Amino acid sequence: GDHEVAARGARVRYRDALASGNRGPMPDKITLEVFRYRPDQEQRPTSQSYEVPYQEDWVVLDALNWIKDQQDGTLSYRWSCRMGVCGSCGMMVNGVPKLTCSAFLRDLLPGPIKVEPLSGFPVERDLVVVLDDFMQKLVDVKPWIIREVEQPVEQGEYRQTPGQLVDFKQYSMCINCALCYAACPVLASDPDFVGPAAIALGHRYNLDSRDEGNAERFETFNSHDGVYACSFANECSQVCPKHVDPAMAIQQAKLNDFMQWAKILPKKNFT
């Protein structure tokens, strides 16, 4: 809308000023419009505005921590590492799934900044969402190395070449932040869809030269809500903070799934 157009214009002017060395006056404060929902106190969600000090090196998580420490200790949200590693601080920032530990206030000028829980998940309290379904989907793809026969430990490790590592390394970078689930248009209409992160993680093990579990993951991948439910909107890859490209993983998984299907097809009796 008009607000977003104005915000984009302000960001462009700010970046132009940075490029020219003329920063101009910086705001003393910036407003956060924060989603609030306390089931023990209210029946439906509300929005609460907070003015926080503006500092150029602050991220949204810094602002939330300032609110928690200085203004409103009742505000609930998740965070841990503050380094883009743990994935626990994912929220909707101006309608876009982001890690709040890497969303700089300076990129969101002039504000206000709208902070909401990740889309598509039940809200437990304020900015905290329930991730049980997401975690179960991760388990469903069996994200561990499966061997038909495990060799004795004394025989040593299962070694890989650098090329074999490259085959799956990109997909092992996922930090399970669930941003891709909040961005996925398929999950918005079909909550049972296995989803980008889980499929990318299962595919990571299917590509691992040490793994022999393709057939065990086949049922999940080939299900009605598996890889073929993906419409390839690519929104998941756009928001991934680790550039995992789950959309590409899903397309590769479709091909791999078809190859598994082709293997079992001759064994089926269609008479």
Side-chain angles (χ1 to χ4, degrees):
D2 294 341
H3 172 75
E4 180 58 29
V5 171
R8 283 199 299 268
R11 290 195 292 270
V12 170
R13 291 191 295 274
Y14 176 70
R15 289 168 184 149
D16 289 345
L18 286 179
S20 66
N22 178 25
R23 294 173 180 247
M26 288 292 99
D28 294 326
K29 297 181 178 181
I30 192 167
T31 299
L32 266 66
E33 295 179 352
V34 181
F35 179 100
R36 300 302 308 271
Y37 176 56
R38 292 147 290 186
D40 55 329
Q41 300 178 31
E42 53 205 6
Q43 293 185 343
R44 57 180 58 87
T46 59
S47 179
Q48 191 165 349
S49 293
Y50 300 94
E51 272 197 341
V52 303
Y54 173 79
Q55 296 191 35
E56 188 180 337
D57 61 346
W58 270 20
V59 292
V60 171
L61 182 58
D62 291 319
L64 291 173
N65 284 341
W66 189 90
I67 293 170
K68 179 82 169 178
D69 294 340
Q70 303 294 330
Q71 278 191 309
D72 189 347
T74 69
L75 182 61
S76 299
Y77 53 97
R78 288 192 180 105
W79 67 279
S80 183
C81 75
R82 300 177 66 177
M83 299 173 62
V85 174
C86 73
S88 62
C89 69
M91 302 171 205
M92 305 298 292
V93 179
N94 287 347
V96 180
K98 291 181 179 291
L99 293 180
T100 52
C101 69
S102 57
F104 282 91
L105 299 183
R106 63 175 179 258
D107 294 328
L108 301 166
L109 289 172
I113 302 171
K114 194 171 187 178
V115 185
E116 301 168 291
L118 285 178
S119 296
F121 293 93
V123 177
E124 183 170 341
R125 183 180 178 92
D126 292 339
L127 301 167
V128 178
V129 296
V130 180
L131 294 169
D132 293 357
D133 182 65
F134 171 67
M135 299 305 295
Q136 183 58 53
K137 288 172 178 176
L138 294 180
V139 173
D140 288 344
V141 300
K142 299 185 177 181
W144 52 81
I145 290 177
I146 298 171
R147 300 284 301 181
E148 294 180 6
V149 178
E150 189 70 50
Q151 72 181 26
V153 174
E154 56 270 20
Q155 291 187 15
E157 306 92 341
Y158 294 101
R159 295 184 176 274
Q160 290 181 314
T161 67
Q164 288 172 325
L165 174 63
V166 168
D167 285 344
F168 68 83
K169 184 177 180 181
Q170 174 186 350
Y171 304 126
S172 68
M173 296 294 103
C174 175
I175 59 174
N176 299 328
C177 62
L179 299 192
C180 58
Y181 279 60
C184 177
V186 177
L187 279 162
S189 59
D190 179 12
D192 292 329
F193 176 42
V194 176
I199 293 175
L201 186 58
H203 184 58
R204 168 254 182 275
Y205 283 93
N206 281 344
L207 292 175
D208 195 317
S209 61
R210 301 164 296 181
D211 182 80
E212 297 172 343
N214 272 245
E216 292 194 32
R217 300 184 187 98
F218 175 76
E219 183 177 350
T220 299
F221 276 36
N222 192 52
S223 68
H224 174 75
D225 298 306
V227 294
Y228 299 106
C230 173
S231 61
F232 200 34
N234 204 43
E235 297 292 334
C236 53
S237 296
Q238 293 298 316
V239 302
C240 179
K242 294 300 180 181
H243 310 292
V244 170
D245 198 0
M248 180 58 69
I250 293 172
Q251 303 316 304
Q252 292 179 358
K254 287 179 181 179
L255 177 60
N256 184 69
D257 184 73
F258 175 78
M259 298 299 291
Q260 289 293 317
W261 178 78
K263 287 180 182 178
I264 67 173
L265 184 62
K267 302 177 184 179
K268 289 185 175 290
N269 183 1
F270 293 98
T271 59

